Amino acid sequence: MTETLINFGAELDSDAAIRLLEHVFKTNLENEEASAARSPDGRGKRPTPICIWGSHGIGKTAVIKDLAKRHGWKFRYCAPAQFEEMGDLHGLPVRLDPNPNTQGDESTIYMPPDWVPKEEDEGPGILLLDDLNRADDRILRGLMQLIQEFEMFSWTLPSKWQIVCTANPEGGDYSVTPMDPAMLTRMLHITMIFDVKSWARWAMHAGVDPRGIAFVLTYPEVITGQRTTPRTLTQFFDQIANIDDLKSELELVNVLARSALDDITATTFLAFVNDGVTQLIDPSDILDAKDFTPVAQKISDLSKGEGDAKRVDRLSTICTRLYLHLSSNTYEIKENHKKNLLAFLLLNDLPSDLRFSLHRDLIAISEDIANMLRDPKLAKHVIEGL
């Protein structure tokens, strides 16, 4: 019987986690600034730290790094599991002798570690304590003061810095140190979970091989496992990105897949390559087409399965990629896009339920996208599909 994994906080996909983090960071900064204005010494209330729980390789660390980069905030990284003694946290002791001619005035000060932000490094900034609960229990207890007060006896975080921790679940095969209530109650907590659309949206912005994105969207059920994680998938897709014809290099692709992924995921990817699904039409090919007839024919060919069966999995992947493209912050409406988008949604090969769900998702993106979909014929098809 599999041991239950213990996480803390609400389960959120990466998009929802980012929205939550944005809110917490904004609130923390506002509270710090407001309390500093009322304080006689000008020191504001320290922020509330937050801990992101989740399985290995799900992208917890990447979310924090991307968030800091997007806002232009300062960033420091710390892996407490690497600490062997408290000196790694406090820094090295140095004897200070202000007057060499005077005996007995020596004192000991500590030189903070290099990863500690300097006094002049005023925020906004994020200090990431990565894989917090992989640290030794003694180190965890030493970190309690930092998480509570944003300082150690030897150094203090500058103002407007946030502390974010990541942690793996307790239980199962994870080698972690359980946190006691005194540690847990010093932080807010969320648990990040894998969501295929959230990952695909990130992957598109990160330049991940489109064939890899199509695979994940087509076979989401084989994406999570012991070795198959968003991290290992990205590593694998990076390795095959320069192989133009995957089918002609199937033996190499097989070796690379099994070097990074669980066997079932690797086997499914090879079937995906053999099935020709890697040649699924790209969203830009649909929207930018000068003549939609060849696009419609290609989609019709892709939708055909054995006998009269329709390859709904392929059509669903095309729809999802189109939605992600149109909902991207970098998308810009161009001259032919409305006509081509309507032509796609009116295709006879598109099942009614896919048409309805894609239409519903698209009109929720923005008023501009909704205006592209204003068409009596499309409205009739959508209503008939209810």
Side-chain angles (χ1 to χ4, degrees), residues 4 11 47 109 125 238 302:
T4 301
E11 293 187 348
I109 64 171
D238 285 345
L302 286 167

Side-chain angles (χ1 to χ4, degrees), residues 164-183:
V164 181
C165 307
T166 65
N168 288 139
E170 296 176 5
D173 295 326
Y174 287 105
S175 176
V176 298
T177 304
M179 297 189 206
D180 63 27
M183 187 77 167

Side-chain angles (χ1 to χ4, degrees), residues 3-8 51 53-55 132-134 140 167-181 183-184 187 189 191:
E3 187 176 351
T4 301
L5 297 179
I6 302 173
N7 289 294
F8 298 89
C51 184
W53 297 76
S55 301
L132 178 68
N133 60 345
R134 288 186 177 270
L140 270 183
N168 288 139
E170 296 176 5
D173 295 326
Y174 287 105
S175 176
V176 298
T177 304
M179 297 189 206
D180 63 27
M183 187 77 167
L184 291 170
M187 299 178 282
H189 300 269
T191 294

Side-chain angles (χ1 to χ4, degrees), residues 223-291:
I223 296 311
T224 55
Q226 287 293 321
R227 296 179 60 221
T228 301
T229 70
R231 177 168 58 210
T232 58
L233 283 164
T234 303
Q235 291 169 351
F236 168 58
F237 296 149
D238 285 345
Q239 292 300 316
I240 64 170
N242 61 354
I243 304 175
D244 294 331
D245 186 350
L246 296 177
K247 206 166 187 176
S248 68
E249 295 284 354
L250 206 59
E251 184 176 345
L252 174 59
V253 172
N254 176 44
V255 172
L256 290 171
R258 296 185 189 281
S259 73
L261 310 172
D262 290 311
D263 284 346
I264 187 171
T265 313
T267 301
T268 305
F269 186 81
L270 295 178
F272 172 79
V273 172
N274 275 321
D275 197 28
V277 188
T278 56
Q279 302 304 315
L280 287 180
I281 194 162
D282 194 77
S284 59
D285 294 334
I286 295 173
L287 295 169
D288 295 331
K290 297 192 184 317
D291 179 6

Side-chain angles (χ1 to χ4, degrees), residues 129-188:
L129 303 179
D130 205 19
D131 291 327
L132 178 68
N133 60 345
R134 288 186 177 270
D136 182 78
D137 182 62
R138 188 166 51 94
I139 301 298
L140 270 183
R141 284 184 273 123
L143 285 166
M144 288 177 66
Q145 182 191 0
L146 175 61
I147 291 172
Q148 177 73 31
E149 303 294 340
F150 279 55
E151 65 181 21
M152 302 299 293
F153 71 77
S154 52
W155 53 267
T156 301
L157 273 180
S159 62
K160 299 181 182 178
W161 276 77
Q162 316 264 354
I163 293 178
V164 181
C165 307
T166 65
N168 288 139
E170 296 176 5
D173 295 326
Y174 287 105
S175 176
V176 298
T177 304
M179 297 189 206
D180 63 27
M183 187 77 167
L184 291 170
T185 53
R186 281 167 162 78
M187 299 178 282
L188 302 175

Side-chain angles (χ1 to χ4, degrees), residues 312-325:
V312 178
D313 58 338
R314 296 179 178 181
L315 293 170
S316 177
T317 298
I318 294 170
C319 287
T320 302
R321 292 182 67 193
L322 183 59
Y323 163 76
L324 292 172
H325 182 82

